[in-house]
Amino acid sequence: MKNIPEQKNIILSYEDSHADSLRQSIGKASKKIFSALPGFAIISTLTIGGLLISCQDNYNQNNKTEVMQNNQEQKEGILKAIDLYVEAGRKGDGIIAKPAFASTATMSWSEDGVLKSVPIQVLFDGFSAAEPMEANYKLTTLDVEGDAAIVRIQSQFGPNKYADMFTLVKDGDDWKIISKIYQVTK
């Protein structure tokens, strides 16, 4: 029985001495590196590094504020286009929606598994042919990358409910819908 504990001690002693040897090698290498550098250089490096980190933190804070402000401005501009679309349906007047859409915009959907795509004028004509109705929407997705955006809403025009998806592009100061894709929902 005495042999087993002795063997364990021998193994632990070997591992401990190996770890000590490694620590000593690392310590010697560190001393060589830091003794080669003048103390002034070390202090300067640490000071400059601290300042850079501090400046980066200030930049990030300022940048976050700017991004939040830009995001709010972008969101308002994008939702202005969506609001015009819904208002046109509410009032039964397609002319109201025209400023929200690019002149080349399209409207697409799938009907019985077949893709349908028409110029956006078909939407305007449909709004103008309809009676004013209750209309509203709920924003579910708004994703902006530079001057391009993707928006998804759940809308209701009268008794009909839709999943509407829009792609928008910034045109000067305004956001224009370049495509509307929808799915009738229940």
Side-chain angles (χ1 to χ4, degrees):
M1 288 278 190
K2 280 189 170 182
N3 289 341
I4 294 174
E6 288 175 31
Q7 287 177 354
K8 284 185 183 177
N9 287 338
I10 292 170
I11 293 170
L12 291 176
S13 297
Y14 172 76
E15 288 176 353
D16 289 342
S17 68
H18 186 66
D20 285 339
S21 173
L22 184 60
R23 278 190 217 105
Q24 287 174 359
S25 296
I26 292 171
K28 287 177 186 175
S30 297
K31 283 180 186 177
K32 283 182 184 178
I33 291 170
F34 286 109
S35 66
L37 292 174
F40 179 74
I42 294 170
I43 292 170
S44 297
T45 302
L46 293 173
T47 302
I48 291 170
L51 288 172
L52 288 174
I53 291 169
S54 176
C55 290
Q56 183 66 31
D57 287 344
N58 287 339
Y59 172 77
N60 285 342
Q61 286 298 334
N62 292 337
N63 194 34
K64 286 178 187 174
T65 302
E66 185 178 309
V67 167
M68 287 172 37
Q69 183 178 5
N70 286 340
N71 286 346
Q72 187 60 34
E73 289 171 9
Q74 289 175 327
K75 182 178 178 180
E76 289 171 5
I78 291 165
L79 292 182
K80 178 181 174 187
I82 304 301
D83 288 340
L84 288 171
Y85 158 70
V86 174
E87 187 66 16
R90 183 179 293 120
K91 292 189 175 175
D93 185 356
I95 293 172
I96 294 171
K98 277 191 176 188
F101 289 85
S103 60
T104 57
T106 60
M107 178 173 64
S108 302
W109 69 98
S110 180
E111 191 173 298
D112 297 323
V114 177
L115 171 66
K116 303 287 183 176
S117 192
V118 296
I120 205 62
Q121 185 62 46
V122 173
L123 174 70
F124 303 151
D125 294 345
F127 280 152
S128 294
E131 294 291 320
M133 66 184 94
E134 218 174 291
N136 59 66
Y137 74 93
K138 176 184 172 190
L139 177 67
T140 58
T141 303
L142 192 156
D143 189 14
V144 181
E145 185 65 43
D147 290 341
I150 297 171
V151 175
R152 182 168 187 252
I153 64 171
Q154 294 173 345
S155 64
Q156 184 166 355
F157 292 90
N160 302 316
K161 295 180 181 181
Y162 303 91
D164 287 318
M165 289 149 269
F166 302 91
T167 53
L168 297 92
V169 173
K170 193 156 190 190
D171 182 26
D173 291 334
D174 297 323
W175 286 88
K176 298 288 184 176
I177 299 169
I178 59 169
S179 68
K180 170 189 165 25
I181 302 168
Y182 74 91
Q183 174 69 50
V184 177
T185 61
K186 297 176 183 189

